[in-house]
Amino acid sequence: MVAVSFPAELWRRVEAGTLSPGEALRLFRTGSAPTAGTPGDLSGSPSPSRKSRVPARTGPEAGGEAAEAERLRQSLAVLAELDALVGLEGVKRSVREIGAMARVQELRRRAGLATGAMTLHMVFTGHPGTGKTTVARILGRFFQALGILPRGHLVEVERADLVGEYIGHTAVKTRETIRRALGGVLFIDEAYSLARGGEKDFGKEAIDCLVKAAEDHRQELLVILAGYPAEMEWFLVQNPGLQSRFPIRIHFPDYSPAELYQIAEQMLAEQQYRLTADARAYLRGKLQGAGWSFAGEAGNARAVRNLLERALRCQALRLLDRAHLGREDLMTITRRDLEEACRSW
Amino acid sequence: MREALLMGQPGAGKSEILRALARTARRRMERGRAAGFPAAGRPPGAPGLPGEALVLSLGRWGRLRVWEVPGLGSRPLPDPGLRWLQSRALALAVTSGLVLHVVDAAAVGARGKEALEEADWELAAVGLRRGDGYLLLAAQMDRPWAATGLERLRRWLEPPAVLPVSARTGEGIAGLLRYLRRVRPLRPLGSR
């Protein structure tokens, strides 16, 4: 039997269905012959000439380097997701800085160099719908990709999840929540509500419990306190112990009308809807209009999403009595749909 | 006959571009032998020929056959004939074929790197080495987020040449046709 030479072997594997086109091109680029013995193996073994061209890596550092490269690749992929978010330039820069610093510290630790104790617990301030939870979720995955957090998942809680109803209940509830969040991110929304109830409120017990957990599990838990800017300031002043334990502050500014419009287009595109030219102009006008505010406490991106969801319902209602609907009809949001949605706001 | 291969993920917009190209060139699409496809070498019983191809005359440089390669997804296709076509196209892509790499710019704009398959990154890597033998077609430019996608594709894939196109509005199709008519014999990878 005539031996099949590289790269013909790769193309034969594609034809046989044992290699995807992407994999074949990657093996071609790296000069690697396909591994012998894979299902549907055609020739039995890679050609000897290819073996000699790709020196095998050996030694303990080979696996470590590969793992580090994979970690870097994954973390860059997560950062790309962050970059895809509209606006938030300051937030993106802060996350990069924190991630870069944490990575270098971790690499220094592994290399046996001196490292400072790095506390990653954070305070997120900003109005509703400015992307705090979204960024917290990305941050968890980013730190997981960097090897700083073991799991990187997000546990989002509020006062009711932490504070109990009788003496001793709060500590149990809070500890259970912390246990669920270990290895990932504990995101406490409207954290100041924990301190609102006065001296006898159980919220204070929850804060003490959280502060202790934030110290004890610094290596495996990232705690994020989030809420409105002014209230968070008040909260931190009321609890001086928190200031030093939550050294990183990230502010999420309100979106500009142009950014809100971009978000609207992104949301619609993701759901395979599109606006007519007339509807686009109307939406731009609404987002910039003096009488209408989506910024501040009105809800920013969340308010836009609510408006669009109403518009989708109005579109469905408009199409209700039409027997024949084409793809275009099903995808198009008109000015009338938006006007109806705004009326029922 | 030289080959120009429309390659990319399923649904990237390859067929629409091919049809728009034929409309702009005012040429009929050819099938099977009329398009000059060799019938030999196919696995028995497999369809294994592209449905249609656009054949352009390049004067003294002979003829150029533009055809669509079955979508390059993350998994092998179930149809053996389509896989056969893919394997022939991959062999051509790294040798004498002109790679027209089609990527949905609107999807990349909206979904970022998630919208790119391994085959996209690897084809772009082939493009870096092929130079003249590769053109990135940023497709679906009439859709929202395509401008963002185009900018990302330029930054992420660093293609030697990129052309924004939309089969729906006709943007870039005449430019693509001019480009194809100027195609000269190409050097395979590794040759000097």
Side-chain angles (χ1 to χ4, degrees):
Chain A
M1 186 180 165
V2 180
V4 180
S5 63
F6 181 92
E9 179 60 23
L10 295 175
W11 317 141
R12 279 193 55 187
R13 299 270 180 142
V14 171
E15 187 183 334
T18 57
L19 212 56
S20 76
E23 287 169 331
L25 285 169
R26 176 167 48 80
L27 293 171
F28 176 80
R29 176 174 56 80
T30 56
S32 312
T35 320
T38 48
D41 187 17
L42 295 176
S43 63
S45 63
S47 85
S49 61
R50 294 309 304 165
K51 271 187 188 166
S52 60
R53 276 177 61 181
V54 189
R57 265 191 164 175
T58 52
E61 79 286 358
E65 271 182 36
E68 187 52 37
E70 178 59 19
R71 261 198 288 274
L72 189 61
R73 190 189 68 76
Q74 281 182 10
S75 59
L76 291 177
V78 179
L79 277 183
E81 272 181 55
L82 183 72
D83 287 338
L85 299 178
V86 174
L88 301 176
E89 297 313 322
V91 175
K92 289 172 188 170
R93 199 171 45 248
S94 300
V95 170
R96 273 178 196 277
E97 278 172 16
I98 296 161
M101 188 65 195
R103 176 170 180 258
V104 168
Q105 289 293 319
E106 178 65 17
L107 291 175
R108 281 179 63 93
R109 188 186 62 74
R110 280 188 226 155
L113 294 166
T115 54
M118 198 168 169
T119 307
L120 292 172
H121 304 310
M122 302 176 193
V123 175
F124 282 8
T125 55
H127 287 124
T130 46
K132 297 188 291 293
T133 317
T134 308
V135 170
R137 191 165 283 121
I138 291 177
L139 207 55
R141 290 174 43 219
F142 183 43
F143 283 172
Q144 193 254 338
L146 289 173
I148 295 164
L149 288 177
R151 290 170 68 195
H153 64 299
L154 181 88
V155 174
E156 188 182 353
V157 295
E158 53 185 26
R159 183 189 154 94
D161 301 301
L162 299 169
V163 178
E165 291 160 11
Y166 46 86
I167 294 171
H169 190 203
T170 299
V172 174
K173 266 184 113 170
T174 307
R175 272 201 292 271
E176 172 56 25
T177 306
I178 291 165
R179 193 191 58 73
R180 273 198 298 137
L182 279 184
V185 179
L186 177 60
F187 184 87
I188 305 171
D189 205 9
E190 302 203 23
Y192 37 76
S193 61
L194 293 174
R196 262 189 187 152
E199 274 303 305
K200 288 185 179 171
D201 185 69
F202 295 135
K204 197 169 176 310
E205 196 183 342
I207 295 172
D208 294 342
C209 225
L210 278 172
V211 168
K212 187 171 183 310
E215 278 295 321
D216 293 350
H217 302 289
R218 212 166 42 186
Q219 302 300 323
E220 48 183 344
L221 179 68
L222 167 59
V223 182
I224 298 176
L225 305 176
Y228 291 106
E231 281 86 342
M232 285 307 290
E233 274 309 312
W234 171 84
F235 179 55
L236 294 172
V237 169
Q238 294 287 310
N239 301 274
L242 291 174
Q243 306 235 18
S244 57
R245 290 175 176 102
F246 290 78
I248 300 170
R249 311 276 171 88
I250 300 182
H251 178 63
F252 290 67
D254 286 341
Y255 288 112
S256 68
E259 286 169 344
L260 286 174
Y261 177 77
Q262 225 180 327
I263 288 167
E265 282 236 313
Q266 195 173 29
M267 286 174 178
L268 288 170
E270 276 165 10
Q271 296 183 63
Q272 295 189 309
Y273 281 98
R274 64 169 76 104
L275 297 169
T276 61
D278 208 19
R280 269 190 221 127
Y282 178 79
L283 183 60
R284 272 207 191 94
K286 270 289 168 207
L287 292 171
Q288 283 170 339
W292 282 73
S293 176
F294 287 83
E297 295 184 17
N300 283 279
R302 203 171 297 154
V304 171
R305 189 176 62 205
N306 292 342
L307 174 70
L308 292 179
E309 279 172 6
R310 275 196 201 93
L312 301 193
R313 287 200 290 274
C314 294
Q315 181 233 27
L317 211 56
R318 175 170 56 81
L319 301 177
L320 186 65
D321 55 356
R322 286 176 53 181
H324 301 290
L325 292 169
R327 197 178 155 81
E328 276 297 310
D329 298 317
L330 296 169
M331 289 176 75
T332 308
I333 301 293
T334 64
R335 181 188 176 116
R336 209 183 104 195
D337 299 331
L338 285 173
E339 280 174 347
E340 290 285 330
C342 287
R343 257 198 288 278
S344 58
W345 186 258
Chain B
M1 188 169 338
R2 285 199 295 282
E3 311 267 6
L5 313 153
L6 280 159
M7 304 178 87
Q9 290 180 35
K14 302 178 292 292
S15 333
E16 289 169 1
I17 291 175
L18 186 59
R19 282 198 293 271
L21 211 51
R23 274 198 305 276
T24 309
R26 294 185 185 163
R27 290 193 71 91
R28 257 187 348 168
M29 301 269 242
E30 306 285 355
R31 281 180 171 275
R33 282 190 184 167
F37 284 113
R42 280 178 292 152
L49 280 184
E52 290 175 313
L54 175 67
V55 181
L56 297 172
S57 173
L58 305 181
R60 60 183 279 230
W61 301 109
R63 292 196 301 163
L64 177 75
R65 178 169 51 210
V66 190
W67 56 282
E68 180 193 346
V69 178
L72 307 179
S74 56
R75 292 180 182 186
L77 292 172
D79 185 318
L82 298 181
R83 290 202 305 267
W84 181 79
L85 273 176
Q86 282 184 335
S87 76
R88 295 300 171 276
L90 290 172
L92 281 168
V94 299
T95 52
S96 58
L98 169 65
V99 177
L100 302 173
H101 181 188
V102 183
V103 182
D104 182 344
V108 173
R111 287 166 41 218
K113 287 185 180 170
E114 272 181 24
L116 294 170
E117 291 280 1
E118 182 180 23
D120 288 312
W121 295 101
E122 294 300 338
L123 269 181
V126 166
L128 283 176
R129 298 172 67 193
R130 290 289 310 275
D132 288 350
Y134 172 93
L135 175 66
L136 177 70
L137 296 176
Q140 321 272 15
M141 287 304 295
D142 56 297
R143 287 174 48 200
W145 289 93
T148 309
L150 174 62
E151 186 268 322
R152 285 180 179 168
L153 288 172
R154 282 198 168 112
R155 195 153 35 92
W156 292 344
L157 301 184
E158 297 176 343
V162 57
L163 183 65
V165 294
S166 162
R168 188 192 304 254
T169 62
E171 176 190 349
I173 300 294
L176 175 58
L177 192 60
R178 280 198 298 277
Y179 174 88
L180 292 175
R181 284 187 166 140
R182 287 203 305 266
V183 168
R184 300 290 173 261
L186 299 162
R187 282 199 307 259
L189 278 183
S191 68
R192 288 178 180 275

